[in-house]
């Protein structure tokens, strides 16, 4: 409730919620013909996510609707990752760890934007919905499940371009679990990936115009300068570098070093979890979360390297990383030979 109330006084709330309200009135968000042109680097996925806020009869109610949508989305994702266990006691322990994960997201500056009216949460919600379909046991035999999974992954990309590496996520994950057992399965995956991607592009191009979307999402963002990274999150004394490929590679290497210096424990924890889980195929969800993390780190660091990149540039890497770490803690609880009341006390302490 406190975070939702704070959103009413956040100076960025209006800018993030405006596209949804404008879209509900039929405004072309990406038009470039009639001024003023409101430049945006974000796709139409976020306005569609917050579209229900248009039912508010006042700005305050619209903000409350958006905040409620955020809260329900976060709790639903937490439940699917940490809840829904067969063992009722283990489920209780896991839920407590899940709330500890949420509290961690609130406390961590790189993930706090999840609780704001922002473009970050819609990206993760689309990823979550796509993951539910793609990790379903029905996906192998049901083309519709696979197509829907890829559709929502594409929706994440059409919300923020940094989600682009996630398109490789199902392919890598299936290769890990040797799920491409024949040529037909592999070709079906490629067809569903390309088919849903082309469909999304055609739909959005029809409503907003391909050239207009291309200008807002690609041409304009390519002109954003990169900073000479002297620290992970930057400072006022940093200069801008030349806008060429070699300079950007140097900056990316420098900021990768600063990232490992600050978050070495996240990198090492995720690597150890991945290696242990890969060797015994303990839990596909753990591998899935770790893959999301490692696929996200390069694009997140690239976003942070750009002029104007701030803490939340790392949100798409850190949310799955922290989720994997806390989920691994719940698995450790299963192996502990301790009385249930002691396990419960430990879980309460962690939370």
């Amino acid at each position: 409730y406190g975070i939702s109330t704070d959103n009413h006084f956040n100076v960025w709330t209006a800018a993030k919620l405006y596209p949804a309200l404008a879209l509900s009135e039929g405004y072309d968000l990406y038009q470039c013909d009639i001024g003023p042109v409101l430049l945006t680097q974000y796709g139409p996925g976020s306005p569609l996510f917050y579209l229900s806020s248009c039912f508010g009869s006042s700005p305050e109610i619209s903000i409350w609707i958006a905040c409620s949508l955020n809260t329900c989305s976060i709790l639903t994702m937490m439940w699917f990752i940490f809840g829904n266990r067969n063992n009722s006691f283990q489920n209780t322990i896991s839920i407590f760890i899940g709330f500890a994960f949420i509290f961690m997201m609130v406390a961590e500056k790189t993930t706090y934007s999840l609780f704001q009216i922002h473009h970050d949460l819609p990206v993760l919600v689309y990823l979550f919905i796509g993951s539910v379909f793609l990790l379903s046991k029905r996906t192998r035999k049901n083309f519709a499940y696979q197509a829907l999974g890829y559709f929502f992954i594409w929706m994440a990309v059409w919300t923020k371009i940094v989600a682009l590496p996630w398109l490789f996520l199902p392919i890598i994950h299936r290769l890990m679990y040797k799920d491409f057992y024949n040529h037909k399965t592999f070709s079906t995956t490629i067809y569903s990936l390309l088919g849903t991607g082309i469909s999304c592009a055609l739909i959005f191009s029809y409503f907003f115009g391909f050239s207009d979307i291309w200008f807002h999402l690609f041409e304009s963002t390519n002109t954003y300068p990169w900073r000479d990274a002297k620290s992970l999150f930057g400072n006022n004394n940093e200069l801008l570098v030349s806008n060429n490929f070699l300079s950007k590679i140097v900056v990316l290497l420098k900021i990768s070093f600063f990232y490992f210096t600050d978050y070495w424990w996240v990198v090492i924890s995720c690597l150890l979890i991945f290696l242990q889980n890969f060797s015994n195929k303990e839990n596909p969800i753990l591998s899935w979360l770790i893959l999301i993390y490692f696929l996200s780190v390069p694009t997140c660091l690239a976003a942070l390297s750009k002029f104007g990149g701030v803490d939340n540039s790392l949100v798409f890497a850190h949310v799955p990383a922290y989720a994997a770490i806390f989920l691994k803690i719940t698995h450790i609880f299963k192996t502990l030979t301790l009385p249930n009341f002691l396990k419960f006390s430990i879980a309460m302490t962690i939370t």
Side-chain angles (χ1 to χ4, degrees), residues 201-252:
L202 291 175
I203 292 171
F204 292 133
S205 297
Y206 174 79
F207 284 103
F208 302 109
F210 178 79
S211 60
D212 291 347
I213 290 182
W214 182 265
F215 171 76
H216 279 269
L217 303 187
F218 299 99
E219 286 187 21
S220 62
T221 55
N222 286 337
T223 62
Y224 287 7
W226 286 40
R227 58 185 176 88
D228 183 20
K230 296 181 180 179
S231 63
L232 181 59
F233 296 107
N235 55 61
N236 295 329
N237 299 321
E238 288 184 341
L239 302 175
L240 302 179
V241 300
S242 302
N243 193 12
N244 59 67
F245 180 75
L246 182 60
S247 299
K248 292 177 180 180
I249 291 296
V250 173
V251 171
L252 197 56

Side-chain angles (χ1 to χ4, degrees), residues 25-36:
E25 296 294 327
Y27 180 77
D28 185 354
L29 300 175
Y30 303 98
Q31 65 88 20
C32 299
D33 300 325
I34 303 174

Side-chain angles (χ1 to χ4, degrees), residues 140-312:
R140 180 182 295 182
K141 299 179 180 179
N142 193 320
F143 176 78
Y145 267 65
Q146 191 171 121
L148 283 171
Y150 271 117
F151 170 78
F152 283 105
I153 299 291
W154 275 110
M155 285 297 296
V157 176
W158 277 99
T159 305
K160 264 193 169 183
I161 198 67
V162 293
L164 191 62
W166 293 346
L167 295 172
F168 299 100
L169 180 62
I171 298 175
I172 299 174
H173 193 262
R174 288 193 169 199
L175 288 173
M176 285 175 50
Y177 283 84
K178 299 178 180 179
D179 204 16
F180 286 132
Y181 50 88
N182 57 40
H183 174 73
K184 182 179 179 181
T185 304
F186 181 78
S187 60
T188 301
T189 299
I190 299 300
Y191 290 151
S192 60
L193 170 63
L194 296 177
T196 52
I198 294 173
S199 298
C200 286
L202 291 175
I203 292 171
F204 292 133
S205 297
Y206 174 79
F207 284 103
F208 302 109
F210 178 79
S211 60
D212 291 347
I213 290 182
W214 182 265
F215 171 76
H216 279 269
L217 303 187
F218 299 99
E219 286 187 21
S220 62
T221 55
N222 286 337
T223 62
Y224 287 7
W226 286 40
R227 58 185 176 88
D228 183 20
K230 296 181 180 179
S231 63
L232 181 59
F233 296 107
N235 55 61
N236 295 329
N237 299 321
E238 288 184 341
L239 302 175
L240 302 179
V241 300
S242 302
N243 193 12
N244 59 67
F245 180 75
L246 182 60
S247 299
K248 292 177 180 180
I249 291 296
V250 173
V251 171
L252 197 56
L253 291 174
K254 289 171 63 177
I255 205 167
S256 297
F257 171 77
F258 291 127
Y259 175 77
F260 185 79
T261 302
D262 287 6
Y263 290 99
W264 59 269
W265 59 276
V266 177
V267 179
I268 294 176
S269 297
C270 288
L271 184 60
L272 292 176
I273 292 172
F274 178 79
L275 293 175
Q276 191 269 338
N277 197 65
F278 180 72
S279 61
N280 59 19
K281 305 295 188 296
E282 179 185 9
N283 191 319
I285 296 179
L286 264 178
S287 300
W288 187 264
L289 291 171
I290 298 297
L291 282 175
I292 295 173
Y293 168 69
F294 283 116
L295 286 172
S296 301
V297 167
T299 53
C300 287
L301 290 178
L304 186 60
S305 301
K306 290 184 177 183
F307 179 75
V310 291
D311 303 344
N312 73 298

